Amino acid sequence: SHGEVEDEHEFNYKKNDEKGPERWGELKPEWELCGKGEMQSPIDLMNERVIIGSHLGRLNRDYQPSNATLKNRGHDIMLKFEDGAGSIKINGFQYELQQLHWHSPSEHTVNGRRFALELHMVHEGKKGRMAVVTVLYKIGRADTFIRSLENELEGIAEMEDAEKNVGVIDPTKIKIGSRKYYRYTGSLTTPPCTQNVTWTVVKKVRTVTRKQVKLLRVAVHDDSNSNARPVQPINKRTVHMYRP
Ligand code: MLT
Ligand code: ZN
């Protein structure tokens, strides 16, 4: 129209935009849940509504090093494990670690507070069951796992669709630092917003430097400078917290 390059991206994070989060559900029939789903993510984790107990049990992680590829997906940077990177077990179901990626600022909030960064470790089980384990970060000391990827990230952050093998990555190096976690049932936070995803949000907030956040955020193609979906209504859901 005015000579500007048409936005080829299928969705973005701009507020009040035709491809923004409020509209994702209308962009494609298969994305309908983004608008109409009753169990969407992220949510605000409100401490006074959380049911605390020990019945969920310790987070059962059994990860191992795997060959991995770093990929700029345009809306985020993803580290994809190419061999088996191990699994977690939740309620007797096993979920294999597939990939991890970052959102900034954080997608989940705690009592309305948003953090600088959120890590999503995406796991898949039988029959397409999904489980995401999440760590929240505020600004402070460097995160050592991200630091180990910094050189590779610098080469890929500004190149959309770029992909690079980064050798063997050890997911056991991702620090959690606490046994407490929130658990609820939600969805993928990007289209198609598939539901029945088991979410585990580690209670302990870890730290990251501003430089590290910036490095990961460069990948976001739109000028909203964010790849965080707004928080969604809880509706009839319950949030639990595991406390030993
Ligand atoms: C999510 O964490 O729900 C993601 O952003 C979905 C994905 O990894 O594609
Ligand atoms: Zn995510």
Side-chain angles (χ1 to χ4, degrees):
S1 45
H2 301 285
E4 69 268 61
V5 179
E6 180 110 33
D7 182 6
E8 300 163 60
H9 300 97
E10 296 192 294
F11 68 91
N12 66 37
Y13 288 90
K14 291 185 217 172
K15 216 174 145 74
N16 305 320
D17 188 88
E18 57 180 2
K19 290 181 182 176
E22 302 85 0
R23 292 285 173 79
W24 290 354
E26 299 152 35
L27 296 176
K28 290 186 187 190
E30 47 302 6
W31 291 3
E32 197 184 25
L33 280 172
C34 300
K36 296 208 174 112
E38 301 270 295
M39 303 167 70
Q40 291 289 294
S41 292
I43 58 169
D44 179 42
L45 299 157
M46 247 196 277
N47 278 332
E48 71 264 29
R49 280 217 239 140
V50 170
I51 298 170
I52 302 172
S54 61
H55 69 281
L56 289 171
R58 241 185 118 156
L59 191 58
N60 194 338
R61 302 189 302 155
D62 187 13
Y63 295 148
Q64 65 196 36
S66 159
N67 204 40
T69 306
L70 208 51
K71 184 167 185 193
N72 183 332
R73 293 196 287 184
H75 62 274
D76 70 3
I77 290 182
M78 170 178 74
L79 183 73
K80 189 171 184 301
F81 294 102
E82 304 292 350
D83 315 325
S87 60
I88 52 168
K89 211 182 243 176
I90 298 173
N91 296 330
F93 290 104
Q94 193 152 313
Y95 300 84
E96 309 287 327
L97 176 60
Q98 306 283 321
Q99 49 109 330
L100 57 84
H101 61 269
W102 295 267
H103 297 260
S104 72
S106 71
E107 297 205 296
H108 288 87
T109 56
V110 180
N111 296 317
R113 180 171 174 203
R114 197 175 289 285
F115 298 90
L117 185 72
E118 178 166 333
L119 167 70
H120 285 166
M121 301 180 76
V122 181
H123 304 72
E124 200 174 322
K126 291 217 171 70
K127 296 181 187 161
R129 284 170 184 273
M130 306 275 286
V132 183
V133 176
T134 289
V135 185
L136 300 164
Y137 302 83
K138 61 184 178 186
I139 299 297
R141 294 170 71 122
D143 175 70
T144 52
F145 182 73
I146 297 172
R147 185 192 281 153
S148 72
L149 292 170
E150 270 174 25
N151 287 341
E152 312 283 9
L153 283 167
E154 268 159 27
I156 208 164
E158 288 178 75
M159 292 158 60
E160 193 166 338
D161 291 328
E163 206 171 324
K164 186 174 172 187
N165 186 283
V166 290
V168 174
I169 301 291
D170 185 357
T172 67
K173 297 264 160 66
I174 298 166
K175 299 225 175 66
I176 281 186
S178 148
R179 292 188 187 173
K180 293 180 194 166
Y181 62 81
Y182 300 99
R183 168 72 47 74
Y184 78 98
T185 305
S187 73
L188 297 184
T189 65
T190 52
C193 305
T194 312
Q195 299 196 139
N196 281 311
V197 174
T198 301
W199 281 88
T200 302
V201 181
V202 176
K203 172 126 192 309
K204 168 112 181 166
V205 177
R206 300 199 58 89
T207 62
V208 72
T209 61
R210 273 182 217 286
K211 189 176 156 253
Q212 290 183 317
V213 174
K214 208 173 156 198
L215 196 53
L216 293 165
R217 207 182 271 191
V218 174
V220 181
H221 60 73
D222 68 53
D223 53 23
S224 61
N225 201 25
S226 154
N227 62 353
R229 185 189 193 192
V231 292
Q232 305 293 307
I234 290 202
N235 298 322
K236 299 200 172 84
R237 291 176 287 178
T238 318
V239 180
H240 291 266
M241 189 205 288
Y242 168 67
R243 192 171 63 191

